[in-house]
Every structure is written in structure tokens, then in C-alpha cells.
């Protein structure tokens, strides 16, 4: 890096930015990372906490994905699997929070890799990390919209038994959810921070609105059945193997933990609020999710009847049999659907911002278009449009093959967790070799390619930080490994998990594009600040 570029990263708090307003401390932090402030900081602590919590939507997500841990693991497997996933996710989120406090940019993982990796391979590893995050978030957004759409169809089946859904109906519901997300992100973008704060209230109060009538009216099973009954309907060689295969349902209930990271350049006091909102969201969602898991298991009723529900979702049958009311079950399900629809708006925002940031650093074909930020709305308009187009096209897959789309869902886990593993391993290496300082000069460039590494305001020092870091890597490796497994040992075309093919194919294509084109234009995070 030239002296002129290094000088250009020094930020004077008195300097005016491109919009003519005085720079804030957030602008200064961003300038020290080599980036200009171009997005508007509309999110505070409450709105970002709502954003993080309602993207995770753990109790809602676990409820609708209840089938996976029930099939492989059973009631006891669901309980202990949830606790294991909660602990592992918390450790992963701690690592992400430490990195977000060091470098709060919308790029997230690929920026962190660029600042942590050895100079000899920094460009390539950063590029691969960027693409893993891109496919992970694009798949996560598509999956969330699809699950919400099929839940809308499920409640239609519940309330109208004579309704026969056609194979293309889920796609129409899916598109409706995507349209709502686009509307909030573009037309009503100023409403997004307020909406997230409001949905946080609905997210928490909705939990009690569902769990109170369920446990009050349903027949309660014994604690022995809940905490000791393991089920291996997948036909695996052991209950232990079945347990790990069934973990993925719990894992997806915590998917999207790095969403706040990709909104960093739209958050006030990002170095503090991003780590705080990430950790509070896993705490709040973990408690609500575990409470709902226990309630569902104690009110399970007949397991085979729940698994055979015509709605496609066992929890709807549990609600119906527990309350002995179709109307009550539909109302409780509607609360979950409303929160999930609103969650899609946050996922759209995080997905488009991550794509925009990677395009800004020339990691995506057509980066000049996707990195455009509207001067009137201060949002990456074309990145939102591209994300919408990708999601809309992916909605066509279930028309031909629901199995193919389910494999796409698994790619959301493998893509994101592979990016987590990469940054966590690099952070552990830097941590144990003592390469990260505690303080830096006020005008010193830090935490970017070739610059000094400095801890942010949040980090876990000493041996405890190492232990958390190591466990996060081990847990993420387990998640990625079992995300490629099918639900049944005897594999047929309808039950085969092809997500490993999709994930590896995207990686191979990105490497091919890197060798042909990207290595000539991608240099890692670009220095944008002007020399003083």
C-alpha cells in the first residue's frame, strides 16, 4: 500500500463527508478501515436489536422446522440438540461480535479475512469468503420466503380441508412474501427501522400468545417421554448418528446471526451496538426457542398423527389437537406467519447490503451496476433488485422439484458456516500468536489489508477467548458436515441431499471466475477515502 493510500485512510473528525455534514465517530471508524460513509445511519440500539431478533426468529423457526429433529432424534433429541446448537451458536456469535467490533463494515466476513489472512493468500481467501457469504445469504433469504409461503398454504389446508393445493401455489405465496420485502426495502425504506422495533414487540408477545393457550388447553405428556425418548425414523445405524442428522432443523432456527454485521454502515455507534445486538439476540431467541421447544414436546400428543399432518407442518396439528380448535390453531399459526413475513424484510436488507459491499470491492461480475447507491434514498437500489430477481427465479424450482429447493435450503447453512469457519480459524491464529493489539493511535489505519490489527471495544481476553474460539470452529465444522446428509439412510431420489453439489459447484465457478477475471480486478477491500 502506498504512502498516499495510507494517508488517505487517516480520518479527521472535523472533515465534512461527501454529503456536506460533519463526520461522526462512526464515519471516523469507517474511514480508518478505508471506507467512505455513503449509506444513512438510521438504526439505533432498539431497532437493531429488533432487526437481529426478528431475523433469527428462533422460536418461530424451530416451530416450523419441528419435523427434522422429531424424525431424527425424537423428543429427547430435540431438547438436547437445541441446547447444543444454542451453545455452539452463541460461541460462533461471540467470535463474529469480536470481529464486528474490530471492523464494522457491511462486507463482514470477506473484509475480516482480508485483515487476518497472510499476505501471500489474502486476496484469494477474501474472495472465496465473499462468495460463500453471497450464496449463503441469497439461499437464506430464498429459504425464509419459501418456508413462509408454504406455511400460508398450510394454514389454508388447516382451515379449508377441501382445499387441494396445486404444485405452483407455494411459488405464488413465495412471490407475495418477496414483494412485501421489496416494498419495505425500497418504497417504504424509512419505515424499516421502526418496523423492526415494532416486530420485536410482536416477536416477544406473540410467544406468550401461542404458548399460554397451548400449555393451558393441551394434554400434557410425561417428563420421561420428553427427556428420554429418542427416535430414529431415518434408519441410521445408531441413535447418536440420527441425533446429529436431526440437528440441522435447530441450526436453521438460528440462521442469519451475522445480519447485523451487514447493516453496520447504517447503524449509529456500530462498534458497540452491532456486537451487543448480536449477543442479545442469541440470548433472547435462545430462551424463547427453548421454551417453545419444551412446550411443543410436552403438548405433542400422538407423534405419528403430528408427523402425518396434511398441512405439511406438525406444529399446526399440535396446535389444533392441543386447543381442540381449528380457529385457535389458525390464529396461533398466523402470529408465526406475520413475524416470518416481517423477518423477510430484514433478510432482504442484509442480503442486498452484503452483495452491494462485495460489488463495491469488485468481487462480483457487473460490480459497477450492483455497487450503485441511489443519491436520493441512499440505498443500493440495484443490489436490492438483483436479490429480488434471484429470489423470484429460485421460486420456480419448487414447481419442478421440491427436493431440489430443499437442497438449496441446506446451502444457506453450508455457505454461511463455511465463511464462519474461515474467519474463526484466522482469528484463532492471530489470537494465539499475539498479533492483535489492544490500542492504537487515534489517526492510525487499522484492521484492513497490511494494517495493524487492533481489538475493538468488545473481545474476550486470555484463555477464555481461545476456548470460545476453538469450540466455535468445532461446532461449525459439525454443522457443515451434517448439512450435507440426507434425512434417511436408505436414499432415494426424493430424499437425496444434493446441497454438497450446489455448494461445491458455486465454489468451483467462483474460483474459475477468479482465475479468468476477478484476480485482475479484485484486490480485497478497496481504499475509498481521499488523502488529507
Amino acid at each position: 500500500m502506498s504512502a498516499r493510500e495510507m494517508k488517505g485512510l487517516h480520518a479527521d473528525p472535523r472533515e465534512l463527508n461527501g454529503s456536506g455534514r460533519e463526520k461522526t465517530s462512526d464515519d471516523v471508524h469507517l474511514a480508518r478501515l478505508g471506507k467512505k460513509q455513503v449509506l444513512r445511519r438510521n438504526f439505533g440500539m432498539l431497532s437493531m436489536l429488533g432487526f437481529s431478533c426478528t431475523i433469527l426468529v428462533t422460536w418461530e423457526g424451530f416451530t416450523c422446522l419441528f419435523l427434522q429433529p422429531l424424525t431424527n432424534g425424537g423428543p429427547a433429541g430435540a431438547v438436547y440438540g437445541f441446547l447444543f446448537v444454542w451453545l455452539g451458536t452463541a460461541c460462533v456469535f461471540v467470535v463474529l461480535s469480536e470481529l464486528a467490533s474490530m471492523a464494522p463494515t457491511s462486507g463482514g466476513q470477506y473484509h475480516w479475512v482480508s485483515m487476518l489472512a497472510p499476505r501471500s493468500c489474502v486476496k484469494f481467501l477474501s474472495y472465496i469468503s465473499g462468495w460463500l457469504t453471497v450464496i449463503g445469504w441469497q439461499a437464506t433469504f430464498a429459504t425464509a420466503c419459501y418456508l413462509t409461503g408454504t406455511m400460508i398454504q398450510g394454514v389454508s389446508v388447516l382451515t379449508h380441508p377441501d382445499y387441494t393445493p396445486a404444485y405452483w401455489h407455494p411459488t405464488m405465496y413465495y412471490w407475495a412474501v418477496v414483494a412485501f420485502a421489496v416494498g419495505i426495502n425500497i418504497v417504504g425504506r424509512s419505515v424499516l427501522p421502526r418496523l423492526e422495533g415494532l416486530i420485536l414487540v410482536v416477536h416477544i408477545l406473540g410467544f406468550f400468545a401461542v404458548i399460554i393457550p397451548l400449555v393451558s388447553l393441551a394434554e400434557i405428556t410425561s417428563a420421561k417421554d420428553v427427556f428420554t425418548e429418542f427416535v430414529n425414523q431415518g434408519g441410521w445405524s445408531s441413535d447418536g448418528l440420527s441425533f446429529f442428522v436431526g440437528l440441522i432443523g435447530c441450526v436453521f432456527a438460528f440462521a442469519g446471526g451475522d445480519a447485523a454485521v451487514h447493516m453496520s454502515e447504517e447503524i449509529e455507534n456500530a462498534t458497540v451496538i452491532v456486537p451487543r445486538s448480536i449477543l442479545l439476540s442469541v440470548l433472547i431467541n435462545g430462551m424463547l426457542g427453548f421454551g417453545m421447544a419444551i412446550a411443543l414436546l410436552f403438548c405433542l400428543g400422538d407423534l405419528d398423527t403430528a408427523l402425518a399432518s396434511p398441512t405439511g407442518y406438525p406444529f399446526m396439528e399440535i396446535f389444533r389437537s392441543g386447543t381442540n380448535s381449528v380457529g385457535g390453531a389458525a390464529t396461533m399459526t398466523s402470529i408465526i406467519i406475520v413475524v416470518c413475513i416481517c423477518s423477510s424484510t430484514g433478510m432482504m436488507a442484509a442480503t442486498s447490503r452484503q452483495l452491494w459491499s462485495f460489488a463495491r470491492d469488485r468481487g462480483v461480475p457487473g460490480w459497477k451496476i450492483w455497487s450503485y447507491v441511489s443519491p436520493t434514498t441512499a440505498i443500493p437500489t440495484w443490489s436490492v433488485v438483483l436479490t429480488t430477481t434471484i429470489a423470484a427465479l429460485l421460486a420456480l424450482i419448487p414447481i419442478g422439484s421440491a427436493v431440489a429447493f430443499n437442497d438449496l435450503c441446506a446451502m444457506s447453512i453450508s455457505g454461511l458456516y463455511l465463511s464462519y469457519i474461515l474467519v474463526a480459524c484466522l482469528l484463532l491464529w492471530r489470537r494465539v500468536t499475539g498479533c492483535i493489539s489492544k490500542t492504537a493511535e487515534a489517526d492510525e489505519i487499522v484492521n484492513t489489508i497490511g494494517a495493524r490489527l487492533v481489538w475493538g471495544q468488545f473481545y474476550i481476553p486470555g484463555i477464555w477467548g481461545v476456548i470460545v474460539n476453538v469450540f466455535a470452529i468445532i461446532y461449525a465444522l459439525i454443522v457443515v458436515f451434517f448439512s450435507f446428509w440426507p434425512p434417511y439412510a436408505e436414499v432415494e431420489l426424493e430424499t437425496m441431499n444434493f446441497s454438497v453439489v450446489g455448494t461445491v459447484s458455486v465454489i468451483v465457478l467462483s474460483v474459475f471466475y477468479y482465475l479468468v477475471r476477478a484476480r485482475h480486478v479484485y484486490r480485497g477491500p478497496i481504499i475509498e477515502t481521499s488523502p488529507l
Side-chain angles (χ1 to χ4, degrees):
M1 185 180 297
S2 68
R4 179 178 176 84
E5 287 175 326
M6 294 288 286
K7 182 181 178 182
L9 290 170
H10 297 174
D12 186 346
R14 297 166 297 180
E15 181 186 351
L16 298 182
N17 68 7
S19 63
R21 63 176 176 81
E22 185 176 345
K23 279 192 172 181
T24 65
S25 60
D26 288 300
D27 298 335
V28 173
H29 282 299
L30 198 58
R32 295 178 72 189
L33 299 173
K35 296 298 181 184
K36 288 182 179 180
Q37 182 67 51
V38 294
L39 305 179
R40 293 175 185 167
R41 296 187 181 271
N42 296 322
F43 286 88
M45 181 61 212
L46 180 61
S47 57
M48 186 44 55
L49 178 60
F51 183 90
S52 298
C53 282
T54 54
I55 280 186
L56 287 182
V57 287
T58 300
W59 76 261
E60 297 92 340
F62 180 82
T63 302
C64 70
L65 295 168
F66 198 43
L67 179 61
Q68 289 178 282
L70 274 185
T71 303
N72 286 293
V79 172
Y80 305 124
F82 188 95
L83 291 175
F84 175 71
V85 169
W86 188 8
L87 175 62
T89 303
C91 290
V92 171
F93 283 10
V94 166
V95 172
L96 298 183
S97 297
E98 290 179 320
L99 291 164
S101 186
M102 292 174 67
T105 73
S106 297
Q109 288 92 311
Y110 80 85
H111 183 103
W112 301 335
V113 168
S114 71
M115 75 184 190
L116 295 170
R119 291 300 297 269
S120 59
C121 56
V122 60
K123 188 169 67 169
F124 178 74
L125 290 180
S126 173
Y127 176 80
I128 293 299
S129 175
W131 269 107
L132 288 171
T133 313
V134 165
I135 65 171
W137 267 107
Q138 294 291 337
T140 298
F141 175 62
T143 302
C145 293
Y146 178 71
L147 289 175
T148 305
T150 53
M151 278 194 289
I152 296 173
Q153 177 178 277
V155 79
S156 300
V157 173
L158 177 68
T159 54
H160 298 83
D162 57 339
Y163 164 57
T164 303
Y167 61 90
W168 50 270
H169 286 182
T171 296
M172 303 306 294
Y173 297 130
Y174 176 123
W175 280 342
V177 176
V178 172
F180 177 80
V182 175
I184 295 296
N185 273 269
I186 293 184
V187 179
R189 181 188 176 279
S190 60
V191 179
L192 182 58
R194 298 183 182 91
L195 177 65
E196 297 299 339
L198 175 62
I199 295 302
L200 174 61
V201 177
V202 178
H203 172 59
I204 295 174
L205 294 182
F207 168 81
F208 294 102
V210 170
I211 201 171
I212 290 175
L214 180 62
V215 300
S216 299
L217 300 173
E219 182 179 347
I220 305 300
T221 190
S222 67
K224 181 181 179 180
D225 291 338
V226 172
F227 295 106
T228 63
E229 182 181 354
F230 288 89
V231 173
N232 183 2
Q233 291 192 355
W236 298 103
S237 59
S238 67
D239 287 346
L241 182 56
S242 176
F243 168 82
F244 280 103
V245 172
L247 281 181
I248 301 305
C250 300
V251 172
F252 194 81
F254 283 97
D258 59 320
V261 170
H262 305 300
M263 302 296 291
S264 293
E265 296 177 40
E266 297 173 66
I267 303 171
E268 296 178 353
N269 195 18
T271 57
V272 174
I273 288 182
V274 172
R276 189 175 295 171
S277 62
I278 290 175
L279 295 178
L280 282 176
S281 66
V282 74
L283 175 63
I284 294 171
N285 278 280
M287 291 189 296
L288 296 179
F290 186 66
M292 184 57 67
I294 294 297
L296 287 171
L297 292 170
F298 270 100
C299 303
L300 182 59
D302 183 68
L303 176 59
D304 292 333
T305 302
L307 292 175
S309 173
T311 65
Y313 287 95
F315 80 89
M316 294 187 190
E317 174 58 27
I318 297 172
F319 287 174
R320 188 207 61 77
S321 62
T323 61
N324 197 28
S325 168
V326 172
T331 301
M332 295 158 69
T333 303
S334 296
I335 294 173
I336 296 175
I337 292 174
V338 167
V339 175
C340 289
I341 290 175
C342 294
S343 173
S344 67
T345 64
M347 287 194 175
M348 162 72 80
T351 304
S352 60
R353 299 316 186 270
Q354 194 280 328
L355 175 63
W356 162 77
S357 183
F358 198 38
R360 171 179 60 177
D361 290 319
R362 304 178 183 179
V364 181
W367 57 267
K368 290 183 179 180
I369 299 173
W370 317 127
S371 60
Y372 171 77
V373 176
S374 170
T376 55
T377 61
I379 64 170
T381 307
W382 289 112
S383 286
V384 173
V385 170
L386 180 59
T387 299
T388 304
T389 303
I390 293 173
L393 292 176
L394 290 176
L396 299 174
I397 296 177
I399 296 178
S401 173
V403 175
F405 193 87
N406 290 334
D407 295 337
L408 174 70
C409 299
M411 286 177 59
S412 68
I413 295 175
S414 59
L416 289 178
Y417 271 86
L418 282 171
S419 72
Y420 299 161
I421 290 169
L422 186 54
V423 295
C425 288
L426 290 172
L427 178 64
L428 179 63
W429 169 54
R430 293 293 190 178
R431 177 177 242 134
V432 298
T433 54
C435 295
I436 309 179
S437 305
K438 293 183 179 180
T439 58
E441 298 296 329
D443 61 348
E444 182 183 5
I445 175 177
V446 296
N447 298 335
T448 191
I449 296 178
R452 190 151 67 99
L453 297 174
V454 180
W455 286 114
Q457 297 189 50
F458 171 80
Y459 74 99
I460 299 179
I463 188 62
W464 288 108
V466 174
I467 292 173
V468 169
N469 205 153
V470 170
F471 185 77
I473 294 171
I474 294 172
Y475 167 75
L477 287 170
I478 292 173
V479 168
V480 171
F481 179 69
F482 282 100
S483 72
F484 297 137
W485 285 52
Y488 299 99
E490 294 186 5
V491 179
E492 299 176 356
L493 181 62
E494 292 76 14
T495 59
M496 182 59 187
N497 187 343
F498 294 98
S499 62
V500 64
V501 178
T503 302
V504 173
S505 297
V506 172
I507 293 174
V508 170
L509 288 174
S510 63
V511 171
F512 175 76
Y513 178 71
Y514 177 82
L515 295 175
V516 173
R517 172 65 177 165
R519 64 191 178 95
H520 301 295
V521 296
Y522 182 75
R523 297 287 184 271
I526 292 174
I527 305 300
E528 295 180 337
T529 50
S530 302
L532 293 177

